[in-house]
């Protein structure tokens, strides 16, 4: 997928988030429709691999039905912006097995904490969403205990983060607030998880937010300020474990992404053929090996590309056994009129389904949660004018 040439964008302002908002929103509608179909399929006995395959199929169908007119003779690129992942209980993210993997037999059980994570893009403008579902929970039989704590922590942290990602604020404000929310529920954000600025064909931009950083990460991490017209993908991952640390286990990596900034001449013929297929099918976005023609050849060909950082792996990591991870991911645009949520609210989550005995006590954060995402400027002006009038009297 080639980057658009400079001639195609005569006015810089036409390429801002505001102008391309429709494409982001179309992608978000597709993602929401896919989640609406996937959530009811998260039942006892459902196979994880079937949910992943179904999710990807639905994204392809959704994006295939829109933007089919060529623009200046060029087809509009569209498709999967993040392959469907179904990560259960203490699996943090990126779990999407292949049919040949031993974990392909994994099925869902009653009470499992299931993270659904997927994304679609139109013309490189991506909407990515993730939410947490508990298998078999109902208002009559709601989620309780540590599972409820971790889901409520993640939900409140996402709502707080949404209100802090605004023009002029800094990334550390989000980091600190998410840690405070998690602590109220006796939970911890998963160490080192990143949220990134997005752009056309980029979901992992240079400006980032880190959750629960280690001392070393804190030292090296850049402070950034949110600016007008930026789009951000905010990934909130909270663990019921005591330190939020996660590690690699036996699970095989299946999701990879081409590194846009690295160039290297691959030596092996297989590697070159696989890399060419990746560029054609996924472009700049993450892909699952499942979408490549020959799985064995793909694994072999990707080895050299990963070794030389041409392709990066999205590893499957786990928190300790008997802990749970909850996730919410949303995409937000900082438009001139104020922040605007691109993705839709979660399909499954409702307060009556998740009953935690803990709650957020911090007065500042509680007040923040009562505020709308976008301030009403007219009301603000009126309040200011009223205040000045009162002073004058």
């Amino acid at each position: 997928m080639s980057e658009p040439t400079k001639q195609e964008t005569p006015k810089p302002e036409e390429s801002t988030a505001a102008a391309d908002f429709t494409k982001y929103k179309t992608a978000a509608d597709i993602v929401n429709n896919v989640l609406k179909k996937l959530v009811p399929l998260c039942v006892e006995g459902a196979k994880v691999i079937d949910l992943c395959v179904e999710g990807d199929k639905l994204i392809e169908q959704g994006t295939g039905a829109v933007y089919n007119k060529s623009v200046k003779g060029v087809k509009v690129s569209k498709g999967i912006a993040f392959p469907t992942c179904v990560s259960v209980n203490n699996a943090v993210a990126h779990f999407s097995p292949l049919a040949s993997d031993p974990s392909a037999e994994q099925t869902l059980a009653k009470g499992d904490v299931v993270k659904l994570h997927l994304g679609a893009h139109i013309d490189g403008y991506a909407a990515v969403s993730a939410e947490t579902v508990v298998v078999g929970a109902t208002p009559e039989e709601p989620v309780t205990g540590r599972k409820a704590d971790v889901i409520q922590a993640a939900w409140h942290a996402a709502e707080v983060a949404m209100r802090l990602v605004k023009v002029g604020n800094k990334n550390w404000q989000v980091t600190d607030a998410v840690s405070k929310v998690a602590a109220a529920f006796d939970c911890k954000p998963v160490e080192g998880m990143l949220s990134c600025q997005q752009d056309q064909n980029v979901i992992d931009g240079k400006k980032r937010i880190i959750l629960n950083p280690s001392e070393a990460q804190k030292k090296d991490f850049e402070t950034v300020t949110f600016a007008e017209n930026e789009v951000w993908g905010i990934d909130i991952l909270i663990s019921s474990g005591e330190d939020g640390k996660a590690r690699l286990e036996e699970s095989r990596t299946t999701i990879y992404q081409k590194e846009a900034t690295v160039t290297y001449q691959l030596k092996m013929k297989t590697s070159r053929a696989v890399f060419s297929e990746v560029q054609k099918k996924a472009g700049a976005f993450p892909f699952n090996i499942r979408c490549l023609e020959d799985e064995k050849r793909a694994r072999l060909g990707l080895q050299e590309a990963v070794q030389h950082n041409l392709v990066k792996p999205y590893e499957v990591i786990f928190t300790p056994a008997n802990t749970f991870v909850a996730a919410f991911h949303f995409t937000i645009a900082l438009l001139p009129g104020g922040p605007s949520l691109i993705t839709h609210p979660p399909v499954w989550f409702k307060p009556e389904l998740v009953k935690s005995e803990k709650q957020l006590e911090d007065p500042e954060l509680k007040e923040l949660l009562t505020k709308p995402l976008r301030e009403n400027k007219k009301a603000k002006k009126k309040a200011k004018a009223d205040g000045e009038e009162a002073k004058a009297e």
Side-chain angles (χ1 to χ4, degrees), residues 173 178 347:
Q173 289 170 261
V178 169
V347 172

Side-chain angles (χ1 to χ4, degrees), residues 302-321:
L302 283 170
Q303 275 175 4
E304 190 189 356
V306 169
Q307 233 171 341
H308 295 280
N309 302 318
L310 264 186
V311 167
K312 68 172 176 188
Y314 280 82
E315 291 167 333
V316 186
I317 55 172
F318 296 81
T319 55

Side-chain angles (χ1 to χ4, degrees), residues 145-146 149 152 183-186 355-361:
R146 293 303 281 150
D149 295 344
Q152 284 286 5
F185 293 89
D186 203 13
K355 299 284 186 195
S356 169
E357 287 175 17
K358 299 177 173 67
Q359 57 182 24
L360 192 57
E361 303 286 1

Side-chain angles (χ1 to χ4, degrees), residues 136-366:
T138 62
E140 296 73 45
E141 247 188 279
V143 186
T144 56
R146 293 303 281 150
K147 292 176 188 177
D149 295 344
V150 78
I151 295 169
Q152 284 286 5
W155 166 252
H156 282 86
E159 288 285 312
V160 162
M162 208 174 273
R163 288 161 174 79
L164 288 175
V165 178
K166 59 189 230 183
V167 176
N169 278 1
K170 294 196 162 38
N171 51 351
W172 292 111
Q173 289 170 261
V174 180
T175 305
D176 296 343
V178 169
S179 289
K180 271 187 196 168
V181 173
F185 293 89
D186 203 13
C187 294
K188 271 275 198 292
V190 179
E191 185 180 278
M193 294 293 111
L194 299 173
S195 295
C196 306
Q197 187 200 342
Q198 294 184 194
D199 211 329
Q200 188 178 25
N201 295 317
V202 178
I203 60 165
D204 50 356
K206 287 189 171 66
K207 288 175 93 169
R208 297 176 174 194
I209 301 163
I210 190 167
L211 296 185
N212 188 13
S214 64
E215 284 308 313
Q217 287 167 335
K218 240 183 226 176
K219 252 192 302 211
D220 300 335
F221 207 78
E222 200 182 329
T223 299
V224 298
T225 305
F226 303 117
E228 196 171 284
N229 285 325
E230 287 179 354
V231 171
W232 282 77
I234 305 296
D235 205 8
I236 302 294
L237 291 141
I238 308 288
S239 161
S240 65
E242 56 194 39
D243 57 9
K245 288 189 189 301
R247 61 184 187 280
L248 286 167
E249 283 185 11
E250 282 305 286
S251 197
R252 296 173 84 185
T253 301
T254 58
I255 294 175
Y256 296 84
Q257 182 186 7
K258 183 168 81 78
E259 279 283 20
T261 53
V262 179
T263 50
Y264 172 78
Q265 190 56 51
L266 291 162
K267 305 284 183 281
M268 285 167 57
K269 192 179 171 187
T270 307
S271 306
R272 290 198 297 273
V274 170
F275 190 65
S276 165
E277 191 186 355
V278 164
Q279 285 179 296
K280 210 180 297 170
K281 285 189 172 164
F285 291 100
F287 62 92
N288 190 309
I289 289 180
R290 205 187 297 117
C291 80
L292 303 177
E293 246 164 69
D294 182 330
E295 185 196 308
K296 260 193 182 151
R297 187 184 78 148
R299 279 226 183 265
L300 184 68
L302 283 170
Q303 275 175 4
E304 190 189 356
V306 169
Q307 233 171 341
H308 295 280
N309 302 318
L310 264 186
V311 167
K312 68 172 176 188
Y314 280 82
E315 291 167 333
V316 186
I317 55 172
F318 296 81
T319 55
N322 303 317
T323 61
F324 305 99
V325 174
F328 290 98
H329 184 117
F330 59 89
T331 310
I332 191 168
L334 304 182
L335 299 180
S340 183
L341 206 53
I342 289 171
T343 43
H344 293 253
V347 172
W348 182 85
F349 180 87
K350 287 171 193 67
E352 62 268 24
L353 288 172
V354 184
K355 299 284 186 195
S356 169
E357 287 175 17
K358 299 177 173 67
Q359 57 182 24
L360 192 57
E361 303 286 1
D362 185 298
E364 271 180 46
L365 292 174
K366 279 172 79 169

